[in-house]
Amino acid sequence: MKPALLFLARFVALTAPLVWLWRAGGLSAYHALFAPIASAIYGWLGCEGIATPARDRYINFVPFLTLMLLTPRLRARRRFGGLALGLVLLFLLHVAVNATADRETQRLSALASLVLDAAPFALWIALAREFARGLLPRRRADG
């Protein structure tokens, strides 16, 4: 089996139970942490009154966590340091994107949703670039 397909199979196998855990209570636990911290950050920035709903899109922690745990040949410092940095950056992204939601409906724009969906993969590519580069097919230079 090609390395990319094997990696994808492992990714799906680990992501499925993590998604179940997220849906079974992870989002509620995250929201209990997120809401007071985000409200405090908004207060420090002078942006009072921004709602902090539990958004389904905050599930983007799951693919990032899975990718960082499954990436082979990452040194422990890169794996766990990158994981910590990435989780903090995703949290701050949640705070920032949440502030852009429509005040009446609390809906996110399509662009904000796209940013949230792409962020874990962009972070992973930045932190595991050597492995990610190896997953892409190589072009042969003619001549």
Side-chain angles (χ1 to χ4, degrees), residues 80-91:
F80 296 110
L83 190 55
L85 175 65
L87 293 175
V88 168
L89 290 174
L90 286 174
F91 179 88

Side-chain angles (χ1 to χ4, degrees), residues 52-66:
T52 57
R55 298 188 187 282
D56 286 334
R57 290 230 186 275
Y58 294 161
I59 197 170
N60 66 2
F61 279 125
V62 171
F64 178 70
L65 174 69
T66 304

Side-chain angles (χ1 to χ4, degrees), residues 86-99:
L87 293 175
V88 168
L89 290 174
L90 286 174
F91 179 88
L92 292 174
L93 180 64
H94 294 168
V95 171
V97 167
N98 187 65

Side-chain angles (χ1 to χ4, degrees), residues 20-87:
W20 182 84
L21 288 171
W22 182 263
R23 295 242 178 242
L27 176 59
S28 297
Y30 177 66
H31 186 254
L33 173 75
F34 175 80
I37 295 172
S39 294
I41 291 170
Y42 297 143
W44 293 331
L45 296 174
C47 304
E48 304 285 338
I50 296 176
T52 57
R55 298 188 187 282
D56 286 334
R57 290 230 186 275
Y58 294 161
I59 197 170
N60 66 2
F61 279 125
V62 171
F64 178 70
L65 174 69
T66 304
L67 288 166
M68 289 302 291
L69 291 177
L70 291 179
T71 302
R73 298 180 306 276
L74 276 183
R75 285 177 268 139
R77 182 175 179 186
R78 172 67 66 111
R79 183 180 313 276
F80 296 110
L83 190 55
L85 175 65
L87 293 175

